[in-house]
């Protein structure tokens, strides 16, 4: 992986986060499930996936996304 590209896997989903966007992929088929743009066009420092949420860390800010849709649910600091 390139610097600034982060991958997490949970419940059959692969989530790939990089500068500019985050993408969820079906782990069994490789089909994209959703893609969301990131307004902070910087490297993603970390990504974590739980049963219901995706957590993105960029420049000390944390964004919380819905695992099924990619919709932003909230965050801490200046997010997305």
């Amino acid at each position: 992986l390139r610097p600034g590209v982060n991958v997490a896997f949970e419940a059959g989903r692969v989530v790939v986060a990089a500068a500019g966007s985050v993408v969820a992929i079906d782990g069994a088929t490789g089909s994209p499930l959703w893609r969301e743009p990131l307004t902070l066009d910087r490297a993603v420092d970390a990504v974590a996936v739980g049963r219901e949420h995706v957590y993105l860390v960029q420049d000390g800010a944390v964004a919380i996304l819905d695992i099924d849709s990619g919709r932003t649910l909230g965050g801490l600091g200046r997010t997305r």
Side-chain angles (χ1 to χ4, degrees):
L1 293 175
R2 290 182 276 158
V5 176
N6 289 275
V7 178
F9 179 80
E10 174 68 30
R13 294 181 182 101
V14 178
V15 177
V16 181
S21 68
V22 58
V23 179
I25 300 165
D26 184 299
T29 67
S31 298
L33 300 171
W34 51 260
R35 174 185 298 269
E36 285 294 314
L38 300 173
T39 57
L40 295 177
D41 194 25
R42 296 184 209 117
V44 174
D45 299 317
V47 62
V49 180
R51 293 181 130 189
E52 298 178 6
H53 303 107
V54 175
Y55 303 92
L56 299 175
V57 179
Q58 268 185 310
D59 291 336
V62 179
I64 304 166
L65 284 65
D66 179 77
I67 188 73
D68 293 321
S69 68
R71 182 174 57 92
T72 300
L73 300 174
L76 301 168
R78 183 176 172 208
T79 61
R80 298 189 62 213

